Amino acid sequence: MHRSAAYVALEHEHHEIDRAMEGFLEKLRAGILEPEALTPALEKLRRHIYLEEVIVFPPIREAGMVMPIFVMMREHGQIWRAMDTLDDLLAASDTDRIEAACCMLLDQLHEHNSKEEPIVYPHIDTDLSAHTRAELTRLSETGLVPEGWVCRHARGVGAIPR
Protein backbone atom coordinates (compact mmCIF):
# COMPACT_ATOMS: atom_id res chain seq x y z
CA MET A 1 0.00 0.00 0.00
CA HIS A 2 1.37 3.41 -0.97
CA ARG A 3 1.51 5.93 1.85
CA SER A 4 1.76 9.65 1.19
CA ALA A 5 4.61 11.74 2.56
CA ALA A 6 2.14 13.29 5.02
CA TYR A 7 1.11 9.89 6.39
CA VAL A 8 4.74 8.80 6.70
CA ALA A 9 5.79 12.08 8.35
CA LEU A 10 3.14 11.84 11.07
CA GLU A 11 3.86 8.18 11.72
CA HIS A 12 7.60 8.95 11.87
CA GLU A 13 6.95 11.70 14.42
CA HIS A 14 5.24 9.18 16.69
CA HIS A 15 8.41 7.09 16.70
CA GLU A 16 10.73 10.09 17.16
CA ILE A 17 8.74 11.33 20.14
CA ASP A 18 8.68 7.86 21.72
CA ARG A 19 12.45 7.42 21.25
CA ALA A 20 13.20 10.83 22.76
CA MET A 21 11.02 10.11 25.79
CA GLU A 22 12.53 6.65 26.23
CA GLY A 23 16.04 8.13 26.04
CA PHE A 24 15.13 10.75 28.63
CA LEU A 25 13.77 8.03 30.93
CA GLU A 26 16.89 5.91 30.49
CA LYS A 27 19.10 8.83 31.58
CA LEU A 28 16.74 9.73 34.41
CA ARG A 29 16.94 6.17 35.75
CA ALA A 30 20.73 6.49 35.62
CA GLY A 31 20.47 9.56 37.84
CA ILE A 32 20.78 12.18 35.09
CA LEU A 33 17.98 14.74 34.92
CA GLU A 34 18.13 16.61 31.60
CA PRO A 35 14.90 18.54 31.03
CA GLU A 36 16.44 20.02 27.87
CA ALA A 37 16.49 16.49 26.42
CA LEU A 38 12.72 16.10 26.88
CA THR A 39 11.45 19.59 26.15
CA PRO A 40 11.92 19.36 22.34
CA ALA A 41 9.96 16.08 22.26
CA LEU A 42 7.10 17.67 24.18
CA GLU A 43 7.14 20.65 21.82
CA LYS A 44 7.09 18.28 18.84
CA LEU A 45 4.18 16.37 20.38
CA ARG A 46 2.21 19.58 20.89
CA ARG A 47 2.83 20.58 17.26
CA HIS A 48 1.87 17.08 16.15
CA ILE A 49 -1.44 17.29 18.02
CA TYR A 50 -2.05 20.76 16.58
CA LEU A 51 -1.50 19.53 13.01
CA GLU A 52 -3.82 16.58 13.51
CA GLU A 53 -6.61 18.59 15.11
CA VAL A 54 -6.44 21.55 12.73
CA ILE A 55 -5.49 19.94 9.41
CA VAL A 56 -5.96 16.17 9.51
CA PHE A 57 -9.06 15.52 11.58
CA PRO A 58 -11.62 17.95 10.10
CA PRO A 59 -11.77 16.43 6.59
CA ILE A 60 -11.65 12.88 7.98
CA ARG A 61 -14.50 13.69 10.37
CA GLU A 62 -16.47 15.27 7.50
CA ALA A 63 -15.94 12.08 5.48
CA GLY A 64 -17.79 10.12 8.18
CA MET A 65 -15.18 9.10 10.77
CA VAL A 66 -16.93 11.02 13.55
CA MET A 67 -16.52 8.65 16.51
CA PRO A 68 -12.87 7.66 15.89
CA ILE A 69 -11.93 11.33 15.56
CA PHE A 70 -13.82 12.17 18.75
CA VAL A 71 -11.90 9.44 20.60
CA MET A 72 -8.56 10.67 19.21
CA MET A 73 -9.34 14.24 20.26
CA ARG A 74 -10.42 13.19 23.73
CA GLU A 75 -7.18 11.26 24.11
CA HIS A 76 -5.25 14.29 22.85
CA GLY A 77 -6.75 16.21 25.76
CA GLN A 78 -5.53 13.60 28.21
CA ILE A 79 -2.08 13.57 26.61
CA TRP A 80 -1.92 17.38 26.64
CA ARG A 81 -2.77 17.54 30.33
CA ALA A 82 -0.14 14.85 31.03
CA MET A 83 2.43 17.00 29.20
CA ASP A 84 1.43 20.02 31.27
CA THR A 85 1.91 17.98 34.44
CA LEU A 86 5.29 16.78 33.23
CA ASP A 87 6.35 20.37 32.44
CA ASP A 88 5.43 21.40 35.99
CA LEU A 89 7.36 18.47 37.48
CA LEU A 90 10.43 19.21 35.35
CA ALA A 91 10.47 22.73 36.78
CA ALA A 92 10.36 21.28 40.31
CA SER A 93 13.05 18.61 39.60
CA ASP A 94 11.08 15.87 41.42
CA THR A 95 12.71 12.88 39.72
CA ASP A 96 10.45 10.15 41.14
CA ARG A 97 7.32 11.98 40.05
CA ILE A 98 8.91 12.95 36.72
CA GLU A 99 9.64 9.29 36.01
CA ALA A 100 6.09 8.24 36.90
CA ALA A 101 4.56 11.03 34.79
CA CYS A 102 6.83 10.26 31.85
CA CYS A 103 5.96 6.56 32.01
CA MET A 104 2.26 7.40 32.17
CA LEU A 105 2.58 9.69 29.14
CA LEU A 106 4.48 7.05 27.18
CA ASP A 107 1.77 4.49 27.98
CA GLN A 108 -0.90 6.94 26.83
CA LEU A 109 1.01 7.56 23.59
CA HIS A 110 1.49 3.87 22.87
CA GLU A 111 -2.21 3.17 23.37
CA HIS A 112 -3.25 6.23 21.37
CA ASN A 113 -0.87 5.60 18.48
CA SER A 114 -1.84 1.92 18.28
CA LYS A 115 -5.34 3.08 17.33
CA GLU A 116 -4.57 6.24 15.41
CA GLU A 117 -2.07 4.76 12.97
CA PRO A 118 -4.19 1.86 11.65
CA ILE A 119 -7.63 3.49 11.95
CA VAL A 120 -7.18 7.20 11.22
CA TYR A 121 -3.94 7.57 9.28
CA PRO A 122 -5.04 5.57 6.21
CA HIS A 123 -7.69 8.26 5.72
CA ILE A 124 -4.97 10.87 5.26
CA ASP A 125 -4.44 9.45 1.79
CA THR A 126 -8.11 9.16 0.91
CA ASP A 127 -9.86 12.06 2.66
CA LEU A 128 -7.29 14.87 2.46
CA SER A 129 -6.67 16.71 -0.79
CA ALA A 130 -3.24 16.56 -2.38
CA HIS A 131 -2.78 20.23 -1.50
CA THR A 132 -3.67 19.59 2.16
CA ARG A 133 -1.31 16.61 2.32
CA ALA A 134 1.51 18.73 0.88
CA GLU A 135 0.81 21.50 3.39
CA LEU A 136 0.73 18.96 6.21
CA THR A 137 4.10 17.55 5.15
CA ARG A 138 5.60 21.05 5.02
CA LEU A 139 4.18 22.03 8.39
CA SER A 140 5.31 18.80 10.04
CA GLU A 141 8.86 19.92 9.24
CA THR A 142 8.62 23.67 9.77
CA GLY A 143 5.33 24.53 11.45
CA LEU A 144 4.82 26.04 14.85
CA VAL A 145 1.90 25.85 17.22
CA PRO A 146 0.24 29.28 17.35
CA GLU A 147 0.91 31.10 20.62
CA GLY A 148 -1.64 30.07 23.24
CA TRP A 149 -3.19 27.24 21.21
CA VAL A 150 -4.40 24.33 23.37
CA CYS A 151 -6.07 21.24 22.04
CA ARG A 152 -9.83 21.28 22.38
CA HIS A 153 -10.23 18.59 25.03
CA ALA A 154 -7.45 19.98 27.25
CA ARG A 155 -9.18 23.31 27.75
CA GLY A 156 -10.73 23.99 31.11
CA VAL A 157 -14.44 24.43 31.71
CA GLY A 158 -15.58 27.75 30.31
CA ALA A 159 -12.60 28.09 28.00
CA ILE A 160 -13.14 30.15 24.88
CA PRO A 161 -13.24 27.89 21.82
CA ARG A 162 -10.57 28.55 19.21
Side-chain angles (χ1 to χ4, degrees), residues 83-95:
M83 286 191 290
D84 287 346
T85 297
L86 194 48
D87 282 336
D88 292 343
L89 292 171
L90 286 169
S93 300
D94 184 339
T95 56

Side-chain angles (χ1 to χ4, degrees), residues 30-31 40 76 82-83 87 92-93 96-97 112 159-160 162:
H76 280 173
M83 286 191 290
D87 282 336
S93 300
D96 289 339
R97 292 181 64 204
H112 176 79
I160 298 170
R162 299 196 189 278

Side-chain angles (χ1 to χ4, degrees), residues 24-84:
F24 171 82
L25 269 174
E26 190 175 307
K27 286 183 178 182
L28 185 65
R29 289 173 177 150
I32 303 167
L33 175 59
E34 291 183 339
E36 64 278 3
L38 184 60
T39 302
L42 297 177
E43 290 171 1
K44 182 178 274 195
L45 181 52
R46 284 186 174 95
R47 185 190 72 228
H48 183 89
I49 290 171
Y50 169 77
L51 293 174
E52 287 180 344
E53 292 203 2
V54 172
I55 296 175
V56 176
F57 290 174
I60 294 173
R61 183 177 42 241
E62 289 171 18
M65 294 276 295
V66 175
M67 190 51 69
I69 295 302
F70 175 80
V71 169
M72 294 296 100
M73 290 180 69
R74 186 184 66 217
E75 290 179 3
H76 280 173
Q78 294 165 347
I79 290 165
W80 196 279
R81 288 188 300 275
M83 286 191 290
D84 287 346

Side-chain angles (χ1 to χ4, degrees), residues 7-25:
Y7 181 122
V8 172
L10 290 178
E11 189 174 56
H12 181 70
E13 280 188 344
H14 282 174
H15 302 296
E16 286 181 331
I17 292 163
D18 289 349
R19 280 192 303 274
M21 292 183 69
E22 289 161 357
F24 171 82
L25 269 174

